[in-house]
Amino acid sequence: MATVTETLPADIAPLATPLLLGYLLNWGLYGVLSVQVYLYHLAFPRDGRIAKTLVYSIYAIETAQTIIIAHDAFNAYGKGYGNLNALGSAQTEWLAVPIFSGIVSATVQMYYAYRVSLLSGSRLLGLVISAIALLQGSSAIAQGAQAFKIGNFADLASKAFVSCTIWLAGSAACDIIIAACMTFFLVRKDTKVPSTHAVITKLVRLIIETGILTALAATIDITLFLAFPHNAYHGCIALTLAKLYSNSLLVLFNSRIRIVGGRGMDASQPSELYASVLPKSQPGTTARTVNFNPHAQASGTLNGVQIHEQTWVATDSDSIELKEQSSFSKKLPSLEPEA
């Protein structure tokens, strides 16, 4: 067996640690996403084809990204242990990080842009947001192509500066615009009816939290990229971007799930008297409630998870119908998948 001797720097942590942390975070977020996709599959089988295609396509891309990242991690920290060239090589991350992240982020942002256009009634606003999303997504793909040619992380800042900057800055800007617009138009449509107000407050909180999270991640990524151009510090955050976007989308979709007896729920309130943002539907739509009850003994349960069907009376395909809330008359476009 041939012996190869290589002198390692005294402190190898700045080179090895950022990517290692990024790999770990990516795998952890993939686990979270898998649980969310399973809950979506379980709770909303009647969502429209577009919504299902969106969710499952994004999950397929995320699965492919996780497999590619696992392959690169093995080459860098297993097969190429102690090899500085293996640590600094971009390997196949040119595909997994910028290209897949750009596709996922642009897709999620364009879905939000469509919902913003419904809320605001302005197609122009939706087109502007979509244009920004396409710009940053295209820049991410271009950055991936450049990374493939460059082949290492050290030269990315000098040879792919413009595409990477447009990708990350555009992504952060688009997230902030989406969060601000959706919050503004949702608050404007608040009727102050208690149940309606609770729904809108919940949606605003989710939108602000997820929007700020993805925008903050992109901002930190571009800051590290510009501040440390010849180090892979920004790679730690870049490895999580796609997973953050996909998880934020599933958080919004799954916000329709009501955990019976959970925190913030009135135990004395009948299960059919809760408010939910339903998909566009025709009168008589059946909504599904997932009851997470670890002590459930009723028939038809599976590992403590009960699914109950409830019939909702939808008077308009673009309105939220709150059962036994006849005073609610102001229409609010649904933010959820179309049926």
Side-chain angles (χ1 to χ4, degrees), residues 88 150 152-158 229-232:
I150 296 169
N152 62 79
F153 296 110
D155 296 330
L156 279 178
S158 59
H230 300 294
N231 294 90

Side-chain angles (χ1 to χ4, degrees), residues 49-81:
R49 293 180 181 177
I50 295 178
K52 289 182 178 179
T53 301
L54 177 65
V55 170
Y56 298 134
S57 297
I58 287 179
Y59 185 65
I61 293 175
E62 297 289 9
T63 300
Q65 185 197 54
T66 302
I67 293 172
I68 293 173
I69 286 175
H71 168 270
D72 289 354
F74 171 76
N75 284 340
Y77 295 94
K79 184 178 180 180
Y81 179 77

Side-chain angles (χ1 to χ4, degrees), residues 10-275:
D11 186 9
I12 199 175
L15 180 61
T17 304
L19 293 179
L20 178 60
L21 291 177
Y23 295 144
L24 295 176
L25 290 172
N26 186 282
W27 294 330
L29 289 171
Y30 179 72
V32 175
L33 179 64
S34 297
V35 172
Q36 289 212 76
V37 171
Y38 172 72
L39 292 178
Y40 174 83
H41 174 77
L42 181 70
F44 307 112
R46 291 181 176 83
D47 273 0
R49 293 180 181 177
I50 295 178
K52 289 182 178 179
T53 301
L54 177 65
V55 170
Y56 298 134
S57 297
I58 287 179
Y59 185 65
I61 293 175
E62 297 289 9
T63 300
Q65 185 197 54
T66 302
I67 293 172
I68 293 173
I69 286 175
H71 168 270
D72 289 354
F74 171 76
N75 284 340
Y77 295 94
K79 184 178 180 180
Y81 179 77
N83 187 340
L84 292 179
N85 291 328
L87 282 177
S89 174
Q91 301 188 71
T92 53
E93 287 176 29
W94 60 270
L95 173 64
V97 179
I99 293 181
F100 282 178
S101 296
I103 293 173
V104 171
S105 61
T107 302
V108 172
Q109 288 169 345
M110 291 180 67
Y111 176 81
Y112 280 126
Y114 169 66
R115 292 305 177 183
V116 167
S117 67
L118 290 182
L119 279 173
S120 63
S122 172
R123 181 175 298 180
L124 178 61
L125 181 58
L127 290 175
V128 169
I129 296 175
S130 297
I132 299 174
L134 287 174
L135 174 63
Q136 67 86 11
S138 300
S139 298
I141 294 174
Q143 202 270 343
Q146 289 176 311
F148 172 72
K149 293 182 179 179
I150 296 169
N152 62 79
F153 296 110
D155 296 330
L156 279 178
S158 59
K159 298 181 180 180
F161 175 82
V162 175
S163 60
C164 190
T165 302
I166 295 176
W167 164 35
L168 297 174
S171 182
C174 193
D175 292 336
I176 293 173
I177 293 172
I178 290 171
C181 289
M182 294 189 75
T183 300
F184 175 74
F185 291 116
L186 279 172
V187 171
R188 281 186 58 186
K189 292 181 178 291
D190 192 351
T191 62
K192 300 303 180 182
V193 175
S195 297
T196 311
H197 181 70
V199 173
I200 291 179
T201 301
K202 178 181 179 181
L203 285 173
V204 168
R205 186 181 71 249
L206 288 174
I207 290 166
I208 291 177
E209 289 174 351
T210 55
I212 289 178
L213 177 62
T214 52
L216 181 63
T219 302
I220 294 175
D221 194 356
I222 191 173
T223 300
L224 293 174
F225 178 75
L226 296 176
F228 305 97
H230 300 294
N231 294 90
Y233 293 149
H234 68 95
C236 177
I237 307 299
L239 283 163
T240 67
L241 281 179
K243 295 295 189 295
L244 291 177
Y245 278 102
S246 55
N247 272 289
S248 69
L249 180 68
L250 266 297
V251 164
L252 182 64
F253 280 13
N254 289 340
S255 65
R256 294 171 289 167
I257 295 177
R258 178 180 183 265
I259 302 178
V260 179
R263 295 182 184 275
M265 296 294 178
D266 186 358
S268 63
Q269 184 182 27
S271 61
E272 67 272 12
L273 297 182
Y274 72 91

Side-chain angles (χ1 to χ4, degrees), residues 300-323:
T301 63
L302 178 61
N303 295 331
V305 178
Q306 296 176 319
I307 301 179
H308 304 283
E309 291 191 352
Q310 298 174 335
T311 300
W312 294 69
V313 180
T315 57
D316 185 89
S317 60
D318 285 336
S319 66
I320 299 176
E321 182 68 18
L322 304 181
K323 200 164 185 178

